[in-house]
């Protein structure tokens, strides 16, 4: 999922959206995979009779647009790719409270601290490594080690991809701003940069670079595309609650200015229902983790209970407002 990003966060890019107003009974601003959202909204429309008009885009771009539109926004629901995009709107008091019945199916640590948005699906930050250029035993104990000189020329990252922002925010939350900036400068010196995670995983798999920082599902999607014989890479999962094992949460919230709040509430209740969570798990499109504990993820994924993310809730992870600035200061943008 390409997330070329940050000009929107820094400059507040506004995209025309007035044509969406009044076009459907529910207007969804979507930063998730369009294929996944179509799967879910088609099913929701069939079940509820509520029509959904989708406006898809990059997460930072859409959250910036919602801020710029303010009370005039036609959006009813925002489905974000990463939690900081929702925290940004929550901190600006733009989201409506959700009922306990919608929040309760999802573990509280993956949703809004104020009950204003709910986590729907998640993915894990990992390393991908080329098996001819590196071995699992050579992988670093911590993501922070990738800034050390021994990784110079061996690393691929996508700093302008929106999925990289929460990782920067996580390092900042755990280590502070000065340490994060130093880490980013080390990554700048050591890495080849790509526009998105797809570029990173493809480069590592073909042997153009030894290791890359990605979200887990990009590798699984490439495996489905190429088949096992086409894969020359493996995933490495950081352990011991290292920041590199961050779990990125994709969730949804309802705008306070929604013109269709009842339909919007129905849609969010649907997203966390067993039916929708099963569709996410079995879609073979994004290979993300459903967040309802009773729903097992795709068998290709490491069991969710075995992941060891760092001790960060959504509040501590924050809203990414400083991450883009640090990336720019480090010369990665």
């Amino acid at each position: 999922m390409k997330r070329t990003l940050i000009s929107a966060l820094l400059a507040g890019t506004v995209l025309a959206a007035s044509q969406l107003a009044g076009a459907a009974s529910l207007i969804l601003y979507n930063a998730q995979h369009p294929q996944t959202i179509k799967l879910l909204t088609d099913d929701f429309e069939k079940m509820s009779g509520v029509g959904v008009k989708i406006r898809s885009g990059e997460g930072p771009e859409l959250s910036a647009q919602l801020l710029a539109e303010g009370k005039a926004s036609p959006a009813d629901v925002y489905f974000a790719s990463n939690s900081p995009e929702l925290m940004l709107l929550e901190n600006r008091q733009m989201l409506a409270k959700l009922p306990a019945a919608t929040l309760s199916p999802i573990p509280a640590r993956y949703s809004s601290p104020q009950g204003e948005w709910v986590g729907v699906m998640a993915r894990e930050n990992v390393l991908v490594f080329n098996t001819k250029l590196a071995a699992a035993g050579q992988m670093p104990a911590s993501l922070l080690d990738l800034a050390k000189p021994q990784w110079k020329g061996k690393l691929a990252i996508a700093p302008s991809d929106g999925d990289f922002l929460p990782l920067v925010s996580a390092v900042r939350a755990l280590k502070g701003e000065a340490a994060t900036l130093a880490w980013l400068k080390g990554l700048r010196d050591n890495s080849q940069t790509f526009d998105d995670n797809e570029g990173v995983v493809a480069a590592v798999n073909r042997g153009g670079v030894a290791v890359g920082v990605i979200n887990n599902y990009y590798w699984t999607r490439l495996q489905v595309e190429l088949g096992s014989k086409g894969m020359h890479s493996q995933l490495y999962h950081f352990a011991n609650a290292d920041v590199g094992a961050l779990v990125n949460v994709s969730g949804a919230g309802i705008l306070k200015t929604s013109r269709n709040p009842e339909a919007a509430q129905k849609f969010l209740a649907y997203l966390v229902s067993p039916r929708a969570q099963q569709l996410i798990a079995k879609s073979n499109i994004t290979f993300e983790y459903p967040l309802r504990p009773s729903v097992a993820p795709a068998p290709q994924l490491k069991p969710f209970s075995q992941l060891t993310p760092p001790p960060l809730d959504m509040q501590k992870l924050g809203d990414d407002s400083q991450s883009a600035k640090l990336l720019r200061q480090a010369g990665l943008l």
Side-chain angles (χ1 to χ4, degrees), residues 164-295:
F164 198 77
L165 277 171
L167 198 57
V168 178
S169 293
V171 175
R172 181 176 178 271
L174 292 169
K175 302 297 182 180
E177 193 159 304
T180 304
L181 182 58
W183 172 68
L184 289 173
K185 288 180 178 179
L187 294 189
R188 176 202 63 200
D189 294 341
N190 288 349
S191 63
Q192 299 180 39
T193 59
F194 293 82
D195 288 340
D196 48 40
N197 278 261
E198 288 96 333
V200 170
V201 71
V204 172
N205 194 63
R206 68 174 176 263
V209 64
V211 302
V213 179
I214 61 168
N215 280 172
N216 67 285
Y217 64 98
Y218 290 101
W219 186 87
T220 311
R221 289 170 62 193
L222 187 66
Q223 183 186 44
V224 169
E225 178 185 341
L226 299 181
S228 297
K229 292 183 179 180
M231 297 305 289
H232 309 292
S233 57
Q234 294 180 9
L235 293 184
Y236 173 77
H237 303 265
F238 289 100
N240 303 316
D242 184 71
V243 66
L246 180 70
V247 169
N248 289 331
V249 172
S250 180
I254 298 171
L255 280 298
K256 282 184 177 179
T257 52
S258 169
R259 294 162 176 80
N260 302 281
E262 290 185 11
Q265 292 284 3
K266 287 181 181 179
F267 182 60
L268 263 65
Y270 164 79
L271 289 176
V272 299
S273 69
R275 181 185 178 98
Q277 293 281 293
Q278 289 283 358
L279 282 176
I280 291 167
K282 296 177 179 179
S283 68
N284 286 339
I285 297 172
T286 59
F287 295 100
E288 296 190 55
Y289 291 95
L291 280 175
R292 192 175 181 114
S294 60
V295 178

Side-chain angles (χ1 to χ4, degrees), residues 137-157:
Q138 298 172 317
M139 294 300 102
S142 172
L143 180 79
L144 301 178
D145 293 338
L146 291 171
K148 294 180 178 180
Q150 60 261 40
W151 290 99
K152 188 174 182 65
K154 300 177 181 179
L155 175 65
I157 61 173

Side-chain angles (χ1 to χ4, degrees), residues 5 11 26 40 47 50 89 96 111 174 182 211 241 246 266 274 282 328:
L5 75 109
L26 182 65
L40 293 169
M47 290 187 63
V50 176
L89 300 182
S111 294
L174 292 169
V211 302
L246 180 70
K266 287 181 181 179
K282 296 177 179 179
R328 178 169 282 180

Side-chain angles (χ1 to χ4, degrees), residues 109-124:
R109 64 185 178 276
Y110 300 126
S111 294
S112 158
Q114 303 299 323
E116 295 181 359
W117 57 269
V118 65
V120 177
M121 61 186 84
R123 62 266 192 205
E124 180 196 19

